[in-house]
Amino acid sequence: MKKTIIALLLFAFIVGCSGEKENKQDSAELKEIDLKGQTVSIDYKFAKGDNIKYKLTTITTANEIIQADSLIESKSNENTIYQFDINVIEVEPDNTAELGITISSLKIDADINGQKFVYDANAENDREQNQKFIQYYAIHNVPYRARVSNKGEVLEVSRLDKMVDKMNSLQPENQKLTTEQKVQISKSIGDAIIRPLTQLIFRELPDKQLALDSTWVKSYPSQLSVFNISNNVTYKVDGFVEYDGNRAVNVSADLNTTWSGNKSGEENGIKYSFEDPKIEGEGKILFDIDRGLLIKSETGTTVELKANLEMLNSMQQKIKTVRKDITTNKNIIELL
């Protein structure tokens, strides 16, 4: 299950809108409006005392195929649903908000090679079950703080020490951690899990005026095996609509990547040769301009990586192996 958090964090930058027929956020129910040449700025408009709830659904599938003397295939599917309860504690003069956030609900449904795993953090789970899902157990129902700019950038997450205590309580022997150890573990949880999860909820917005067909690009690097990946996401304003009496904007996103790195080499006696990675992604976002909140978004990415491996066995015979990994990830965010 640890792979899901990683998959969630990789390529979590594209946003979009799904089409559930009974959801009032369905684009079919949204009336197009004409701004008559006016431009708008999209910002988060936090107000002290506001209470906001978001649902985050992550759907990850992974298929690993290894061809050697025989064919070995591994498949996994995982569905994880989070609910974030958010309270606006304070708003600074520059409209940066101090938020109190709790992941109040967390459910996992997974199938790994036909073996099913189910975990509901809200249920009465025994110690063994919580230990199996400790990375989820530790962050569930523990309030933390986040500072978020009006452009959606998560500047800081804090007050994670109770997550460390909760995780430590499941160790075979409850260890007495020093203050320094707690700080280090809190930082690791914040950097690897809490901050990226929070950033999924608060999408980063452009610092420019927008009109129909306006575009902007967000670029950032990532690492995929031996490859250094440059991710470039192009956003485009597809139109303006009326949502719940407010003006809202529909934005589409398209991912393009370039890569660098040595595709072939040798490590620990194993020669490897990678094929060019294949990475695709697209999506849309629906953002309430007047209320200043993300309404709904959806991520869709596919990553395919193939490698040829060559090594010698104990009899000094040459063994050739082909490995192919295909991972798809979908993240859906809904304002409740």
Side-chain angles (χ1 to χ4, degrees), residues 292-308:
L293 279 180
L294 175 70
I295 300 167
K296 190 169 182 179
S297 69
E298 186 174 308
T299 300
T301 58
T302 301
V303 179
E304 181 178 323
L305 191 61
K306 186 176 181 180
N308 298 288

Side-chain angles (χ1 to χ4, degrees), residues 177-184:
L177 298 175
T178 66
T179 300
E180 183 179 353
Q181 288 173 325
K182 277 193 174 185
V183 170
Q184 292 175 342

Side-chain angles (χ1 to χ4, degrees), residues 65-73 321-322:
I65 302 171
I66 299 176
Q67 178 68 65
D69 293 336
S70 59
L71 183 67
I72 302 172
E73 187 170 4
T321 303
V322 178

Side-chain angles (χ1 to χ4, degrees), residues 164-289:
V164 178
D165 292 339
K166 197 174 178 185
M167 181 180 292
N168 192 47
S169 71
L170 289 182
Q171 299 305 317
E173 293 183 5
N174 197 358
Q175 302 176 21
K176 181 70 173 178
L177 298 175
T178 66
T179 300
E180 183 179 353
Q181 288 173 325
K182 277 193 174 185
V183 170
Q184 292 175 342
I185 298 172
S186 293
K187 186 178 185 306
S188 296
I189 293 174
D191 291 344
I193 300 176
I194 296 300
R195 185 169 183 164
L197 272 175
T198 307
Q199 189 65 76
L200 275 179
I201 303 301
F202 297 103
R203 301 295 189 175
E204 293 190 51
L205 305 174
D207 190 14
K208 62 181 290 185
Q209 292 292 116
L210 302 177
L212 183 64
D213 295 329
S214 290
T215 61
W216 67 97
V217 178
K218 181 173 175 57
S219 303
Y220 67 93
S222 64
Q223 187 75 33
L224 179 63
S225 189
V226 299
F227 299 102
N228 296 311
I229 306 294
S230 177
N231 302 285
N232 301 291
V233 188
T234 300
Y235 296 90
K236 180 182 178 183
V237 174
D238 288 338
F240 299 94
V241 296
E242 182 180 312
Y243 172 77
D244 201 21
N246 292 338
R247 298 173 302 165
V249 59
N250 270 319
V251 177
S252 60
D254 184 63
L255 170 67
N256 289 291
T257 62
T258 57
W259 59 267
S260 62
N262 295 322
K263 294 199 299 180
S264 59
E266 184 172 349
E267 185 175 337
N268 297 325
I270 302 175
K271 294 181 180 179
Y272 61 84
S273 175
F274 283 87
E275 296 186 6
D276 292 352
K278 297 177 182 178
I279 305 172
E280 298 177 347
E282 60 182 6
K284 291 186 177 181
I285 180 172
L286 181 62
F287 191 90
D288 189 320
I289 300 168

Side-chain angles (χ1 to χ4, degrees), residues 2 21 26 50 67 105 109 118 130 132 144 156 172 196 206 210 219 236 247 251-252 265 327:
K2 292 181 180 178
K21 292 183 178 180
D26 192 321
D50 278 355
Q67 178 68 65
S105 178
D109 187 352
V118 178
N130 287 330
K132 288 180 181 178
Y144 66 95
E156 179 186 9
L210 302 177
S219 303
K236 180 182 178 183
R247 298 173 302 165
V251 177
S252 60
T327 302

